[in-house]
Amino acid sequence: MSNRKKIAIVNQRYGKEVNGGSEYFTMLLAEHLADTCDVEIITTCARDYDTWENYYQPGIQIIDGIKVHRFPVDKPREQKRFAKCEKMRVYLPFMTYGMEQKWIDEQGPYAPEAIRYIREHKDEYDIFLFVTYLYYLTVMGLKEVADKSILIPTAHEEPFLKMRHYKELFKMPAGYYFNTTEERDIVYQKFQTQSIPHEIGGIGIEVPEHTDPEGFCKKYNLNHYMIYVGRIDYGKNCHELFEYFDQYKKHYPDDLKLVLMGKEMIDVPQRDDILSLGFVSEKEKYDGMAGADFLILPSELESFSIVVLDSLKLGVPVLVNGKCAVLKGHCDKSGGGLYYTDYQGFEDGIQKLMGSSEIRSRMGASGRRYVEEFYQWDAIIGRLVHLIDQVTG
């Protein structure tokens, strides 16, 4: 008789066509956890978070050996309606419980059939892992199976944590799997959940053994450049990155360029020293990252940041927003990056990184050692399985 546990992982989106940090994390986690457990995914038919339009067919799909249960989104996000709902954030301290629920429904993806499946099939699974606290599937689904749930919150400092629905949610799970100690400390400070079992996890960082940075630079006629990888959006603070870069180039009109990889959700300045490539292949992504002088991440709201750890594993230093405790923590613990909190820090960071290839090389080597020590799959899955055993025991 098999003693493999049956695990359901719940995330708002899942698929090879999906672009998103927690979604990518979920896919990697499922594939590695499947070596020791029977893993299934509960998700929606949506591909894009900005509309939640149904893209995939409902029903069961097999992706790389993982069974995926897809449920339709009943109310795709209508931008004008959601924009009106988003304005309610200004009144967070004064929102009624019902107003909060309306915001959660509009935030989406609104998929009641997924919640019904969790309720009706909860006895078929040993444990439910909910990835990302913010969305409808976690808020409505976790309460159905609280006594056999582990929350992977991907939390960071943001106003939603003040909402009563989330204050209730964070008290419910039987276990927590945090990506970083900084994330754990935020949750402890806000919700006093120290009595709930937890582990610190993250993901294993795997980059190609061989990259072609020279080919990438030749293809795009690049010499020195910093690279941004991810969604190009206000939520990632990209508008500030463009402002700071413009200011920097006015002071230092050198050959440094800014290369962007990712979906454009806001307008990108049209100028010779900014190159926006949109979606690229995995090979081109890693070739471009390997050839950069450093990676830039202006976001204040990160709970882990795979792209920063990818860069460090490639031996490429990073420059990040120090207002984000997680990003600052990666830099402090690795020695592989610098951080800024205002324009002057941004300028100083670039000047230090661009001033010496020896400094970049030394920081790159430190960053690589950090990732190899703390972000290997065997240890990470071992900690998660230990937590699952603790919760189900």
Side-chain angles (χ1 to χ4, degrees):
M1 187 175 190
S2 172
N3 61 358
R4 288 167 64 93
K5 289 185 169 63
K6 187 174 181 181
I7 313 295
I9 305 181
V10 184
N11 192 308
Q12 62 276 2
R13 298 183 294 163
Y14 191 93
K16 293 184 180 298
E17 300 82 5
V18 170
N19 183 45
S22 81
E23 293 84 355
Y24 180 60
F25 163 82
T26 300
M27 183 169 282
L28 292 177
L29 189 69
E31 291 170 0
H32 286 83
L33 188 58
D35 291 337
T36 53
C37 302
D38 294 329
V39 178
E40 297 183 4
I41 306 296
I42 299 173
T43 189
T44 69
C45 299
R47 180 188 63 177
D48 299 313
Y49 87 99
D50 52 334
T51 65
W52 301 127
E53 291 282 354
N54 291 306
Y55 174 83
Y56 301 99
Q57 290 297 313
I60 294 175
Q61 181 183 12
I62 305 298
I63 301 178
D64 292 336
I66 306 292
K67 181 185 284 189
V68 180
H69 300 266
R70 293 196 184 280
F71 299 92
V73 177
D74 284 8
K75 291 194 302 185
R77 183 181 287 176
E78 200 280 318
Q79 290 300 329
K80 288 185 178 179
R81 187 178 68 237
F82 184 66
K84 183 178 179 180
C85 192
E86 273 284 86
K87 292 178 181 177
M88 293 165 59
R89 293 200 314 183
V90 178
Y91 307 104
L92 274 177
F94 311 105
M95 287 170 65
T96 66
Y97 198 75
M99 290 169 67
E100 286 186 4
Q101 185 63 58
K102 178 176 173 58
W103 184 90
I104 290 166
D105 290 350
E106 293 292 342
Q107 167 75 8
Y110 185 74
E113 283 189 36
I115 308 306
R116 191 177 306 118
Y117 177 86
I118 292 171
R119 182 187 310 122
E120 294 176 356
H121 295 265
K122 61 184 178 182
D123 293 337
E124 298 173 16
Y125 298 93
D126 294 295
I127 197 81
F128 288 78
L129 307 184
F130 290 85
V131 184
T132 299
Y133 81 91
L134 185 65
Y135 295 105
Y136 175 90
L137 262 61
T138 296
V139 178
M140 304 307 294
L142 192 147
K143 65 179 67 175
E144 300 287 346
V145 290
D147 62 335
K148 55 195 311 185
S149 69
I150 291 173
L151 178 58
I152 306 175
T154 67
H156 43 69
E157 286 286 357
E158 57 183 345
F160 310 118
L161 293 175
K162 298 177 182 177
M163 293 169 69
R164 276 169 287 184
H165 276 77
Y166 295 122
K167 289 180 180 178
E168 291 177 359
L169 177 75
F170 275 85
K171 301 284 189 181
M172 290 182 187
Y176 272 112
Y177 192 64
F178 298 109
N179 279 325
T180 64
T181 55
E182 290 83 4
E183 181 191 13
R184 178 199 62 193
D185 293 345
I186 288 171
V187 171
Y188 279 4
Q189 178 187 0
K190 293 186 179 297
F191 305 110
Q192 289 76 52
T193 54
Q194 288 88 333
S195 63
I196 298 176
H198 82 275
E199 287 283 352
I200 306 294
I203 70 169
I205 299 300
E206 299 172 317
V207 300
E209 188 175 345
H210 302 290
T211 57
D212 184 18
E214 294 82 7
F216 181 86
C217 292
K218 184 177 180 181
K219 178 178 179 180
Y220 293 107
N221 192 29
L222 295 166
N223 186 17
H224 291 293
Y225 65 96
M226 58 181 181
I227 193 164
Y228 171 85
V229 180
R231 193 174 71 247
I232 303 167
D233 200 354
Y234 288 111
K236 295 293 185 179
N237 221 21
C238 290
H239 58 294
E240 183 182 83
L241 170 61
F242 299 147
E243 293 170 9
Y244 281 8
F245 184 70
D246 177 65
Q247 195 171 344
Y248 177 83
K249 292 309 289 282
K250 287 176 179 175
H251 294 168
Y252 303 94
D254 52 22
D255 66 345
L256 180 67
K257 292 185 178 182
L258 170 60
V259 174
L260 308 164
M261 293 178 173
K263 184 176 182 179
E264 293 184 14
M265 306 297 292
I266 61 174
D267 292 336
V268 175
Q270 300 297 305
R271 47 191 290 169
D272 292 341
D273 52 8
I274 296 182
L275 178 63
S276 183
L277 301 179
F279 285 123
V280 299
S281 67
E282 285 292 286
K283 179 183 186 308
E284 186 155 75
K285 180 183 80 170
Y286 287 117
D287 288 346
M289 291 175 67
D293 290 283
F294 61 95
L295 177 129
I296 180 77
L297 187 54
S299 174
E300 296 181 22
L301 306 175
E302 298 294 323
S303 63
F304 185 62
S305 187
I306 296 169
V307 70
V308 161
L309 294 173
D310 277 346
S311 185
L312 295 179
K313 182 67 180 289
L314 289 166
V316 176
V318 300
L319 178 62
V320 304
N321 194 324
K323 293 178 183 177
C324 175
V326 168
L327 298 181
K328 181 176 181 292
H330 283 319
C331 292
D332 287 338
K333 287 179 279 191
S334 72
L338 303 174
Y339 50 86
Y340 62 91
T341 56
D342 54 20
Y343 169 73
Q344 191 57 54
F346 177 85
E347 178 182 304
D348 292 345
I350 293 178
Q351 283 291 287
K352 182 172 182 179
L353 287 166
M354 298 307 298
S356 169
S357 60
E358 182 182 340
I359 288 177
R360 294 197 301 272
S361 178
R362 186 168 64 246
M363 292 176 68
S366 296
R368 186 182 291 112
R369 285 194 296 271
Y370 168 71
V371 174
E372 290 174 350
E373 181 176 358
F374 293 104
Y375 296 103
Q376 299 298 312
W377 274 117
D378 286 349
I380 287 168
I381 294 300
R383 291 195 291 271
L384 178 55
V385 169
H386 175 263
L387 178 62
I388 290 171
D389 288 343
Q390 189 176 2
V391 169
T392 57

